[in-house]
Structure formats: C-alpha cells, structure tokens
Amino acid sequence: MSGSSSVFRAAFQGLSYPSVFHNRSSSSTIYPANHDNPKLDAFESHVCEELRRLEECGNYLSADWLRQALDVCLYVHSMVEENFPHIGKNSKWVNEHLEDMVKLLDICNALRESMSDIKQYKVELQLIVHGFQGCGPIGARQLLRARTALGNFNDPSAKAKEASEGKSRLENCSSMLRRMGERLVAPPSDAATASGGAAFLEPIYASKALMVFVCGVLVAAISTKSKRHLPQLCAGQTAWACSLQTLHHKVKEEIEKGRNKGTTCTLLYELKAVDSSSRSLYDLVNKLINSKSVPPNESQALELRQSVQSLRNCISELESGTAPFERQISEIFRVLVSGRMALLDVLSYS
C-alpha cells in the first residue's frame, strides 16, 4: 500500500502521475484549475480522473469494481495528512470532521464483521461441494447430507432468520452513512479564514465524501434487504464533486434496478451468483431424493456433477473477488486512526 500512497503524494511534490490500475490509457483528462495552489489543482485533477475511470468501468456492483473504488479511497486518504499543517484553526468544521472519522471507524468494524459472515458462508458451501468429490457413485446418504446442508441456505425461514441477524448491523451502517451524506458541508472558502488555510481542507473534505459514497455502495451491495439506498451527497460544485455526483447517479440507478425487483438476495454479482448456484443444486438434489432416483442414473449423475462444478466455480470467483475487501477495510481503518491522531496532534500545537 505504500506504493499506492505514493501516487497522490507525487502530485503534491510536482511529480508526474503514474498509472495505478491495469488497462489505463497513458493520457489524462486535464481539468480546469480552481485554486491558486498548483498542488491542490493537481489533487483535484487526479481525483476527477480516478472517478472518471470508476465511472467507465461499469459493473458497479461487482467485486472488482468495489475493489478499485476502495483502492481510490485509500489513495485519497493516504495523502490528506499532507494538508494538516496548513489548515489553521477551522475548529467547527474540523471538529465535525473528527466526529465523522469516529463514525467511519465504526462502519469499518461493521463491514469487517459482514465480510467475516461472507467468508463463513463460503467455507460452509465449500464443505458441501467437497462432499461430492470422489469417483464412486453418489449414494442416498450423500444426497441427504447435501440436502440438509443446502437447505440451511435455501429454506425461506432459515434465510429470513440469517438475514435478520446481520440486518441490524448493515442497517446501522446505512443509517449512519445516510446521515453523514445529508450533513456533508463544504469547508469554509473565504480567504480570511485561518489565513487562507481553508483551501487545504478541500482534500480532507473530498476524502470523506468519497468514503461515505464507497462505503454506501458496499453496504447496499452486500445487504439482503429489498430496500437499499445510497447516501445522498451534497459535495459542492468543485470539479471532483461534480464527477462524484455523476458516478453516484449511475451507481444509484443500478442499485435501484435490483431493489425494484424486490429480491432479498444480495446485489453483489459474485455473491448473487453463488446464491443462485446453491439454489439450483439444492433443487436438483431435492428432486432426485423425492423421485427416489438414488443412486442417480448416468444422465442424472452428470447433471448433478455439472451443478456441483458450477457452484464450485462461483465460490472460487466470490473468493478471489472479495478476498481483498478485508485487507482494504482494515487498511482504511488504520489510515483513519492514523489520520485522526495526526489531525489532533496538529490542532493541539496550532
């Protein structure tokens, strides 16, 4: 992550901006300057470029897109400490920001717990898939064990109970993010404030707005609630804020499409694929047992093994897609703690 952090630090040192993600073009969009300070202009231009790339990626509810979005959050947060010595004594705005950092830490903890739930879900399904391994014929006991285990994931009452257990955690996250989004207030911009130090609050403000947005998308993607909403953002009229609003609108449209279907499944593509594949395998096993086709004939055995393989592939895609999340969320937590301590330290000596 130190390499990622250097990307934005380079902008504040007047260095060229290297490519961070794969498949990026070497050219960069030039955004109009809004500040007298070239470092702040460079920051804004780079944030706009990252948001544009996220917008062009599409598939906003995929693990790959969320991974890139979380990386952008880390890039921005990794350099905001550069601005702390310049912010002066904007006590009211800064104090509110410090309070919001505590809320974001709580949200990170809740998201880490949710990621652990997903990991446990994946492990339990892997055990079911493992039970079908072997070259011998599939017997009645094997099918009955699989039906019982899969039934825990596919029975409506069991799913409702599981959803309710994790619902309050994500609901709290969603509520906190919604309130933070509604209360986002641009930093003071008048030159008299803190001897012009207000301009250096803009990167701090951008980092918080981006964090609220990306965490909101992640919560909406992994929630099992049928009503999912992104936090509204009032980020101002700067170039990066307009880019963020455009991206927010497109992601919101994709979430609304899934929400309008009234599904209680998650919207995260890879997790939804696992749920669907698990359901298909459960239905097939149940059909074989109810029809007393045990052991299954050659055609049925082939269909069963194909269904098992499909679930195995979906689990593998979920694992590779979401594995970085836990590390990224932990790193965001660390950066938030470090940033809050550094900000308090600067304020105590200002």
Side-chain angles (χ1 to χ4, degrees):
M1 184 49 61
S2 59
S4 301
S5 302
S6 65
V7 172
F8 277 89
R9 290 198 176 99
F12 274 65
Q13 297 168 358
L15 303 178
S16 60
Y17 180 57
S19 173
V20 180
F21 298 133
H22 297 297
N23 301 321
R24 284 184 172 178
S25 62
S26 58
S27 61
S28 294
T29 304
I30 303 301
Y31 295 89
N34 292 316
H35 307 282
D36 294 331
N37 190 307
K39 293 180 180 180
L40 296 178
D41 287 329
F43 165 80
E44 183 159 313
S45 179
H46 295 332
V47 172
C48 288
E49 184 69 8
E50 296 301 334
L51 292 172
R52 182 186 65 81
R53 288 194 176 101
L54 288 177
E55 180 187 342
E56 291 177 348
C57 285
N59 297 325
Y60 304 125
L61 298 176
S62 69
D64 181 64
W65 187 89
L66 282 163
R67 177 186 58 78
Q68 294 188 53
L70 286 167
D71 267 344
V72 172
C73 281
L74 280 167
Y75 299 153
V76 177
H77 275 268
S78 68
M79 52 67 56
V80 294
E81 292 181 34
E82 305 269 349
N83 303 289
F84 292 168
H86 308 288
I87 62 176
K89 294 184 178 180
N90 298 280
S91 58
K92 184 177 186 299
W93 192 92
V94 173
N95 285 337
E96 289 176 353
H97 176 69
L98 288 168
E99 291 176 5
D100 284 340
M101 292 180 83
V102 174
K103 294 184 179 71
L104 287 171
L105 288 171
D106 290 338
I107 289 168
C108 284
N109 278 330
L111 286 173
R112 283 195 291 196
E113 290 180 21
S114 295
M115 291 300 108
S116 295
D117 291 343
I118 292 175
K119 183 186 292 187
Q120 181 63 31
Y121 172 56
K122 178 190 63 182
V123 168
E124 291 175 4
L125 284 175
Q126 284 174 325
L127 290 174
I128 295 172
V129 167
H130 182 74
F132 283 99
Q133 290 181 345
C135 301
I138 299 172
R141 183 177 297 178
Q142 194 175 7
L143 288 174
L144 287 169
R145 281 201 304 264
R147 183 173 71 171
T148 300
L150 288 167
N152 293 331
F153 301 116
N154 293 284
D155 179 68
S157 60
K159 294 188 75 173
K161 180 181 178 182
E162 180 184 358
S164 65
E165 290 173 351
K167 185 173 66 173
S168 59
R169 181 197 309 149
L170 292 176
E171 276 186 343
N172 288 338
C173 282
S174 182
S175 297
M176 290 171 67
L177 289 166
R178 176 180 53 79
R179 289 192 295 270
M180 288 177 67
E182 291 172 349
R183 290 172 48 248
L184 275 177
V185 177
S189 58
D190 58 297
T193 303
S195 302
F200 288 92
L201 295 175
E202 190 70 28
I204 301 173
Y205 179 54
S207 69
K208 180 167 67 173
L210 184 59
M211 177 68 74
V212 170
F213 167 66
V214 174
C215 286
V217 179
L218 183 55
V219 169
I222 64 177
S223 173
T224 56
K225 285 194 66 179
S226 59
K227 294 182 179 180
R228 304 172 176 93
H229 299 280
L230 274 184
Q232 296 297 320
L233 296 177
C234 301
Q237 298 300 317
T238 58
W240 70 262
C242 293
S243 297
L244 182 57
Q245 290 285 6
T246 299
L247 180 58
H248 181 280
H249 178 71
K250 292 192 174 183
V251 176
K252 182 180 178 181
E253 284 185 338
E254 188 162 348
I255 290 175
E256 288 295 319
K257 289 178 184 177
R259 188 173 72 88
N260 290 337
K261 294 178 181 178
T263 177
T264 56
C265 295
T266 61
L267 298 180
L268 184 68
Y269 293 159
E270 291 81 0
L271 197 51
K272 186 162 58 174
V274 168
D275 287 342
S276 177
S277 185
S278 168
R279 180 69 196 183
S280 295
L281 179 59
Y282 173 77
D283 289 342
L284 179 57
V285 168
N286 200 40
K287 184 177 73 172
L288 290 174
I289 292 174
N290 290 338
S291 63
K292 303 188 184 304
S293 300
V294 182
N297 59 39
E298 185 176 345
S299 175
Q300 292 169 330
L302 176 61
E303 182 182 8
L304 183 60
R305 294 195 184 281
Q306 287 175 339
S307 184
V308 170
Q309 184 60 45
S310 175
L311 178 56
R312 181 183 289 112
N313 292 341
C314 289
I315 294 171
S316 178
E317 290 179 8
L318 175 65
E319 183 173 21
S320 62
T322 59
F325 287 178
E326 193 168 359
R327 175 191 59 78
Q328 288 174 307
I329 294 169
S330 294
E331 182 65 11
I332 288 173
F333 185 92
R334 185 196 66 77
V335 169
L336 285 169
V337 170
S338 173
R340 192 171 190 277
M341 292 176 65
L343 183 54
L344 288 169
D345 187 56
V346 168
L347 292 177
S348 66
Y349 287 99
S350 60

